[in-house]
Amino acid sequence: MEKKDYYETLGVKRDASQDDLKKAFRQLARKYHPDLNKGSKEAEEKFKQINEAYQVLSDPQKKAEYDQVGHAAFRPGDTSGYKTPSYDDLFRDFGLGDIFDAFSAGSGRARSRAGADLRYEIEISLTDAFYGTKNTVEVPHSYECGTCHGSGAQPGFIKDCPTCKGTGEIRRVQRSGHQQVMNIAQCPECGGRGKIIGKPCETCHGRGTIRRTRRIEVSIPAGVEDGQFLRIAGEGEPGEDHGPPGDLYAVVHIKKHAVFKKQGADLYSIAVVGLATALLGGEIKVPTITGSATLKIPRGSQSHTLFRLKEQGMPYLNSSSRGDLLVKVIVKIPEKLTKKQEELLKEAFVGEK
């Protein structure tokens, strides 16, 4: 089978610089490395080709020979005999440490991690949800211990782990044909930290953190919805190994209102009118979230009719627009009538059943 051109294998031009070759190899190694393509024979073969091409083109003498006569510059077996260098040495020597870190992440040394997020429940009134408000909450927090600065050890009583020599990783190289595979595992002695505590910190008792309650002001915007999360960045638990802190998520709950029922940005209420108003029409005052408004009742209005007052509801979040107020009108039927009222009704509605 005819070998593919090395420049084509790496996807570079023939006048590519050493930096271009390193960059191309770096990108392809990320994609086809066996550790990231477990069980893929295609990826394994592709990585062999990439490695072979890079070993030739990164060597000035071999590159010059290849540029002159191509693959014929090497006897059969010459390139297949190239050993794959240690991945650690390969990536470090050529400035590709971040690739190596990507391969070992999660299996080797414990790296800095962001702190856990916190959740806090806040209950506000409907009026607060309309205007917006500020709410001060007291949140139990873990803070980095000021004595040990998060190490968990009494000052002067922490040292490199003798098992992993402070790396936090145990590395074992296994050969498979002409390849060698490096297995990286977290050090069982230090748990990946690379450090051993000789004496626990007396302030935090070896935890590295201390517990305190902190007062945090939460700004609640107008138009907030029931159950909405508000994120306060950086107010969560501290990160591990100097990682960034988590966030605080305040969950807003709106209390039930005595008059209004909220549905989205709309408000619903009930108004009771007398029979005469329903029959003859008129005007009534109805409460709104900001005060009161006049509602016109047309002649002959039926009970349970829904009337809409435009933009008398809740504000939309981050908007100057508002929802509507929908008023359900209930017609009150008198329980007792005078004789004169009965006679007048009979006269007015004679013939009706």
Side-chain angles (χ1 to χ4, degrees):
M1 181 178 177
E2 185 178 352
K3 281 194 173 184
K4 190 175 182 181
D5 180 81
Y6 285 152
Y7 291 99
E8 188 179 343
T9 297
L10 293 179
V12 297
K13 296 180 180 180
R14 300 190 73 82
D15 60 352
S17 66
Q18 285 297 317
D19 286 339
D20 292 334
L21 292 171
K22 291 176 186 178
K23 183 178 180 181
F25 176 72
R26 172 181 181 171
Q27 292 175 342
L28 292 170
R30 283 184 186 274
K31 184 175 181 180
Y32 294 107
H33 193 282
D35 285 355
L36 301 180
N37 298 273
K38 297 291 186 183
S40 173
K41 293 295 183 183
E42 182 181 351
E44 183 180 350
E45 182 61 32
K46 185 71 174 177
F47 188 80
K48 287 180 182 179
Q49 296 172 10
I50 295 165
N51 183 49
E52 179 182 316
Y54 182 72
Q55 288 194 49
V56 170
L57 297 182
S58 62
D59 185 305
Q61 182 178 346
K62 292 185 176 70
K63 181 179 183 298
E65 294 174 1
Y66 180 76
D67 287 345
Q68 288 180 0
V69 294
H71 293 295
F74 310 101
R75 296 189 304 273
D78 279 358
T79 53
S80 62
Y82 291 157
K83 74 178 184 70
T84 302
S86 162
Y87 293 141
D88 191 6
D89 294 339
L90 178 64
F91 297 145
R92 298 300 181 193
D93 290 347
F94 294 110
L96 306 180
D98 56 338
I99 297 180
F100 180 82
D101 292 341
F103 296 153
S104 63
S107 59
R109 182 172 182 174
R111 286 164 171 76
S112 61
R113 291 187 295 179
D117 294 331
L118 296 177
R119 174 186 173 122
Y120 195 92
E121 311 284 334
I122 296 178
E123 192 174 53
I124 63 173
S125 68
L126 186 65
T127 303
D128 287 338
F130 179 86
Y131 290 106
T133 186
K134 292 183 183 295
N135 199 308
T136 300
V137 299
E138 294 187 352
V139 182
H141 255 269
S142 293
Y143 292 88
E144 184 180 274
C145 175
T147 302
C148 67
H149 302 291
S151 70
Q154 192 69 12
F157 287 89
I158 188 168
K159 60 181 180 179
D160 285 346
C161 173
T163 303
C164 65
K165 305 297 189 293
T167 65
E169 302 170 339
I170 301 297
R171 304 181 182 185
R172 295 183 178 87
V173 178
Q174 296 179 337
R175 296 193 61 83
S176 176
H178 297 295
Q179 282 192 319
Q180 62 181 22
V181 178
M182 177 173 287
N183 292 322
I184 305 171
Q186 181 174 286
C187 176
E189 184 69 21
C190 64
R193 291 184 174 274
K195 302 291 182 181
I196 295 294
I197 296 175
K199 181 180 178 181
C201 174
E202 295 178 356
T203 303
C204 65
H205 306 290
R207 292 190 298 271
T209 58
I210 53 178
R211 200 75 171 166
R212 292 176 183 166
T213 298
R214 182 174 178 180
R215 294 171 64 86
I216 300 172
E217 187 175 74
V218 180
S219 294
I220 301 172
V224 67
E225 292 288 343
D226 185 71
Q228 187 168 344
F229 285 78
L230 301 177
R231 174 175 171 266
I232 300 92
E235 293 294 349
E237 294 285 20
E240 296 182 17
D241 295 308
H242 305 290
D247 299 327
L248 171 65
Y249 287 89
V251 189
V252 178
H253 299 287
I254 302 175
K255 299 176 186 176
K256 288 185 177 180
H257 195 273
V259 175
F260 303 109
K261 181 179 179 182
K262 183 178 182 298
Q263 289 188 13
D266 292 334
L267 293 176
Y268 288 78
S269 67
I270 293 175
V272 178
V273 300
L275 181 60
T277 302
L279 292 173
L280 304 175
E283 293 182 348
I284 62 171
K285 287 285 187 181
V286 294
T288 65
I289 190 70
T290 57
S292 64
T294 299
L295 177 63
K296 291 184 178 182
I297 306 297
R299 285 174 172 267
S301 292
Q302 302 297 306
S303 186
H304 292 72
T305 299
L306 205 59
F307 294 90
R308 184 183 298 269
L309 292 175
K310 290 285 189 180
E311 295 197 341
Q312 289 295 327
M314 299 292 289
Y316 290 99
L317 188 64
N318 300 322
S319 172
S320 58
S321 299
R322 291 171 58 180
D324 301 332
L325 171 62
L326 293 98
V327 183
K328 182 187 288 186
V329 171
I330 305 295
V331 179
K332 184 178 180 180
I333 306 297
E335 296 180 0
K336 294 182 178 180
L337 297 174
T338 65
K339 287 187 176 182
K340 185 176 181 180
Q341 288 173 331
E342 288 182 6
E343 291 174 358
L344 290 173
L345 284 173
K346 288 178 181 179
E347 184 180 344
F349 298 104
V350 63
E352 288 193 7
K353 294 183 179 180

